Amino acid sequence: MQRTDFSEMACSIARTLDVMGEPWSPLILRDIFVGMSRFEQLQSDLGISRKVLTERLNHLVDRGVLERRPYDKRPRYEYVLTGKGLELIDVLMVMVAWGDKWLAGEAGPPVLYRHHACGEVSHVELSCSHCGKPMHANDIDVLPGPGAAA
Amino acid sequence: MQRTDFSEMACSIARTLDVMGEPWSPLILRDIFVGMSRFEQLQSDLGISRKVLTERLNHLVDRGVLERRPYDKRPRYEYVLTGKGLELIDVLMVMVAWGDKWLAGEAGPPVLYRHHACGEVSHVELSCSHCGKPMHANDIDVLPGPGAAA
DNA sequence: TGCTGGGGTTCCTTCAGGGAACCCCAATTG
DNA sequence: CAATTGGGGTTCCCTGAAGGAACCCCAGCA
């Protein structure tokens, strides 16, 4: 085996990377999330090679994060996020928060998020699912779980 | 230019992917976060090629997410997360949450997080930095920001 | 009847990843 | 005082994935 297979590692990061661990997949998911659903649109917006776009779309469909859906009597398809895929957007939202803070520079962030619940432009924060307080790298201990390697 | 350069795109996701957009970087950051800081440890834990590990470490140091620090009179180094790098762990924590939910299977999650603030084993949630309520893909509108492309 | 446009597939070239061998040098060992 | 060891790389070759461009299929339409 030449390229490493991440899907079998006992690590949820590695397994997630098997789904979206090269740079095009997150950008494809981003585009589909903002409403660009067709091959031609994706290809021209991203500037990705057609071959690689085909591979990535098939892979994302295989992994259950996208659904391929015909939209015409002719063989025309659009790609839509499944529930599993929509939750993967969480990862992108956190990438946006980090990129906005550390890489946006003078110009400021390229896009803004307005939160429906409060109507404000804001960004995403990480909190504890149990107590709701902030939860970042330094706020946790990492313990072995039931699915840990033997 | 053969491989696409993501760093110049007007998108915080693409720019973040320029830093950690291939599968090894997140795993390297994970290992360093849990205390594995030396070349040899990383190499044998990950099973990554030595050449690629060297490249990735240099890249992460260049991007300011790792710091290379001598730990001996001999030329021996360890790699530690900078503040910028520690905040990048947020992205990994969200990948873990998603991977635990969708890919862990019967065995359950390989690792658990205990939150210092409440002492409970929990996972990370996304909330709005303004109102604190949940904030996921369907809870936002995406608007052009000041750094949007011309 | 020919044109068009979406959604690919094929082919070739180049470059990045994998794997293994090699190197440098300070400390330790016999 | 050799010789060995071990960390932290570097070099080499081989394979496979990304880029780019051309080609293809087919339904609708002029």
Side-chain angles (χ1 to χ4, degrees), chain B residues 49-105:
Chain B
S49 123
R50 304 172 72 77
K51 187 188 68 157
V52 175
L53 179 56
T54 304
E55 289 168 7
R56 291 290 160 271
L57 288 171
N58 289 339
H59 183 251
L60 292 168
V61 170
D62 283 353
R63 292 297 182 274
V65 302
L66 292 183
E67 188 191 333
R68 180 185 158 106
R69 177 180 295 174
Y71 69 90
D72 197 301
K73 286 184 294 289
R74 289 181 284 179
R76 299 294 146 82
Y77 305 96
E78 58 189 6
Y79 295 87
V80 298
L81 290 165
T82 62
K84 188 173 173 181
L86 200 60
E87 293 188 22
L88 205 43
I89 302 297
D90 280 4
V91 176
L92 305 189
M93 292 172 74
V94 177
M95 284 188 186
V96 166
W98 189 85
D100 283 355
K101 171 163 180 181
W102 293 99
L103 307 173

Side-chain angles (χ1 to χ4, degrees), chain A:
Chain A
M1 170 182 45
Q2 197 71 306
R3 296 304 209 283
T4 307
D5 177 17
F6 295 92
S7 69
E8 297 303 316
M9 295 181 180
C11 170
S12 286
I13 299 171
R15 292 174 186 153
T16 301
L17 291 168
D18 176 62
V19 176
M20 48 131 37
E22 40 54 70
W24 286 122
S25 294
L27 296 180
I28 291 168
L29 295 173
R30 173 202 70 181
D31 273 13
I32 292 176
F33 171 60
V34 302
M36 234 173 281
S37 54
R38 300 181 186 176
F39 189 93
E40 212 70 13
Q41 286 179 298
L42 292 166
Q43 197 274 322
S44 69
D45 181 65
L46 294 172
I48 186 177
S49 123
R50 305 172 73 77
K51 188 189 67 158
V52 175
L53 178 56
T54 303
E55 289 168 9
R56 290 291 160 273
L57 288 171
N58 289 338
H59 182 250
L60 292 168
V61 169
D62 282 353
R63 292 296 182 275
V65 303
L66 291 183
E67 188 191 333
R68 179 184 159 106
R69 175 180 296 175
Y71 69 89
D72 197 303
K73 285 184 293 289
R74 289 180 283 179
R76 300 295 145 82
Y77 306 97
E78 58 189 5
Y79 294 88
V80 297
L81 290 166
T82 62
K84 188 173 173 180
L86 199 61
E87 292 188 22
L88 203 44
I89 302 297
D90 281 4
V91 176
L92 305 189
M93 293 172 73
V94 177
M95 283 188 187
V96 167
W98 189 86
D100 283 354
K101 171 164 180 181
W102 293 99
L103 306 173
E106 292 298 300
V111 305
L112 302 173
Y113 291 168
R114 185 166 48 211
H115 189 211
H116 292 164
C118 65
E120 298 290 325
V121 168
S122 66
H123 56 86
V124 80
E125 258 294 343
L126 268 60
S127 55
C128 171
S129 64
H130 185 264
C131 70
K133 291 190 187 131
M135 181 159 162
H136 297 282
N138 278 335
D139 302 321
I140 58 170
D141 291 326
V142 177
L143 314 172

